[in-house]
Amino acid sequence: KTARKDEELALADRVYVASSYTLKTLAAAPGFHAPVEVIPYGAPRRPASAPRRLARDGRSGPLRVIFVGSLGQRKGLSYLFDACRSLGHAVELTLIGTLPLETCPALETELKRERVRWIPSCPHAEVLAEMAAHDVFVFPSLFEGFGLVLLEAMAMGLPIIATAHTAAPDLIDDGHEGFLVPIRSGEAIAEKLSRLHDDRDLINIMGARAAEKAAAFTWENYGQRLATSVSRGCPASAAH
């Protein structure tokens, strides 16, 4: 499979990727010299059935944390579990995603822990509604070509905590619409969650900024940029 992809890249006249992180990974592709342009994907519009719930006032209530994605270690889940366990009753974690094909006793143990809620799957509209009912979206992926759930969470008005091995650096300014954290660092995730737990106003401010930022990433803009580039050729500013 990898060899076929390398061959396709070598034959390409032009390559489109959705994130700067994906662009960086192409540096190692053999015999690959085509111009590359980064065009991020689009965000959904917030449905009427998913109104934004503002973060709870005060510091007494637990922080509502959500993750959406396949439940494999490539998503960095063990570090999210470490962070939430270290914060104890300060956080409640919801995960939406399917189990890996191979049995993972450690994962099954984490999903049964107190203050952890697991939803194996649900319709997309319900996923968005669940996002809107939480305070922060965490996506600690080790490597991700984009991570469309990041834009979906932002569109629902959530600040995000994500690694730079995703599209997050293309979507947010660190500390403005959310936070960037290193991969494999439960401590860094815990520090950001603790900060949001103690400052509910910051959650609402960041969430509003995230929704505003996501509004600029529409599927219409994605299609227009892609069509324009295909018809005219890559712009001179495209990365090589």
Side-chain angles (χ1 to χ4, degrees), residues 61-157:
L63 188 71
R64 299 166 297 191
V65 181
I66 187 168
F67 165 91
V68 179
S70 59
L71 303 184
Q73 183 55 10
R74 181 174 68 84
K75 303 289 186 178
L77 281 182
S78 70
Y79 310 105
L80 174 57
F81 288 133
D82 289 346
C84 291
R85 279 201 313 274
S86 73
L87 296 174
H89 291 274
V91 300
E92 295 174 346
L93 174 62
T94 295
L95 302 104
I96 302 178
T98 56
L99 292 173
L101 294 178
E102 295 185 4
T103 301
C104 180
L107 173 61
E108 293 175 359
T109 297
E110 294 291 350
L111 294 178
K112 295 176 183 177
R113 289 189 184 277
E114 185 182 4
R115 299 180 301 279
V116 175
R117 172 172 167 251
W118 172 45
I119 303 173
S121 66
C122 60
H124 187 246
E126 292 182 20
V127 172
L128 298 181
E130 283 287 344
M131 287 179 170
H134 286 72
D135 297 319
V136 58
F137 182 83
V138 181
F139 198 64
S141 190
L142 304 184
F143 59 97
E144 198 79 31
F146 188 83
L148 192 55
V149 288
L150 293 169
L151 269 180
E152 291 175 341
M154 291 171 63
M156 296 305 104

Side-chain angles (χ1 to χ4, degrees), residues 32-68:
F32 168 50
H33 304 290
V36 184
E37 184 174 356
V38 177
I39 304 181
Y41 294 138
R45 294 184 176 87
R46 184 187 302 174
S49 60
R52 175 74 175 105
R53 290 175 58 188
L54 296 180
R56 298 185 180 109
D57 294 330
R59 301 184 181 183
S60 58
L63 188 71
R64 299 166 297 191
V65 181
I66 187 168
F67 165 91
V68 179

Side-chain angles (χ1 to χ4, degrees), residues 219-230:
W219 283 112
E220 291 79 9
N221 287 344
Y222 173 81
Q224 289 173 2
R225 288 185 60 184
L226 184 59
T228 299
S229 182
V230 168

Side-chain angles (χ1 to χ4, degrees), residues 119-202:
I119 303 173
S121 66
C122 60
H124 187 246
E126 292 182 20
V127 172
L128 298 181
E130 283 287 344
M131 287 179 170
H134 286 72
D135 297 319
V136 58
F137 182 83
V138 181
F139 198 64
S141 190
L142 304 184
F143 59 97
E144 198 79 31
F146 188 83
L148 192 55
V149 288
L150 293 169
L151 269 180
E152 291 175 341
M154 291 171 63
M156 296 305 104
L158 270 67
I160 63 174
I161 298 174
T163 68
H165 287 207
T166 67
D170 299 317
L171 306 178
I172 69 168
D173 293 319
D174 186 25
H176 198 261
E177 298 90 2
F179 299 106
L180 299 176
V181 293
I183 61 170
R184 303 187 180 95
S185 178
E187 295 83 358
I189 297 171
E191 189 273 328
K192 302 306 181 186
L193 290 177
S194 179
R195 179 176 174 184
L196 292 175
H197 174 273
D198 294 343
D199 191 345
R200 304 306 168 95
D201 288 337
L202 181 61

